[in-house]
Amino acid sequence: MSAITTHVLDTSRGCPASGLRVELQIRSGSEWKSLGAGLTDSNGRCATLLGEQELQKGGYRLLFDAGSYFKKLRTETFYSEIPIVFEIGSPDAHYHVPLLISPFGYSTYRGS
């Protein structure tokens, strides 16, 4: 399992957001470098974003392709892409970043 994982729940439908594309990026100066990407599984989880790469201290960003997800559901949405930017201070820890989405809002927190 990756040191950075996510879990996406679609609160408008009351179920996991399956098939949502997620990309993990690391900050490199003023740019963002892609580290990996994947689709959420049937439980809304994506646990392979970092792959075998080692976690480093620094700034990271998860990009959630909410626009494509809601388009597949034929549902209008306001947020086409949801970026979550966070800092890694301890590379030995596991970081879980859940996302709760609906067509017109979202919420996140640091999970365990």
Side-chain angles (χ1 to χ4, degrees):
M1 179 170 50
S2 173
I4 298 174
T5 58
T6 190
H7 185 203
V8 185
L9 298 174
D10 183 339
T11 59
S12 67
R13 297 175 54 229
C15 63
S18 175
L20 191 146
R21 185 176 189 284
V22 184
E23 181 179 0
L24 176 64
Q25 301 175 335
I26 188 169
R27 185 181 296 127
S28 178
S30 61
E31 305 285 320
W32 290 99
K33 176 185 168 191
S34 182
L35 294 176
L39 295 175
T40 55
D41 63 17
S42 62
N43 290 315
R45 297 182 182 279
C46 193
T48 59
L49 292 169
L50 198 56
E52 298 297 318
Q53 299 174 73
E54 289 192 24
L55 195 58
Q56 305 170 29
K57 286 185 178 182
Y60 288 79
R61 177 167 69 180
L62 284 171
L63 288 176
F64 297 87
D65 186 1
S68 294
Y69 169 76
F70 283 113
K71 185 176 183 177
K72 283 189 295 186
L73 296 172
R74 297 182 179 167
T75 302
E76 178 186 354
T77 184
F78 183 71
Y79 297 102
S80 59
E81 185 175 68
I82 299 171
I84 299 177
V85 179
F86 55 99
E87 295 291 322
I88 298 294
S90 177
D92 298 329
H94 174 255
Y95 295 86
H96 185 62
V97 185
L99 177 67
L100 307 174
I101 62 170
S102 75
F104 300 101
Y106 64 91
S107 178
T108 187
Y109 56 95
R110 173 149 183 210
S112 58

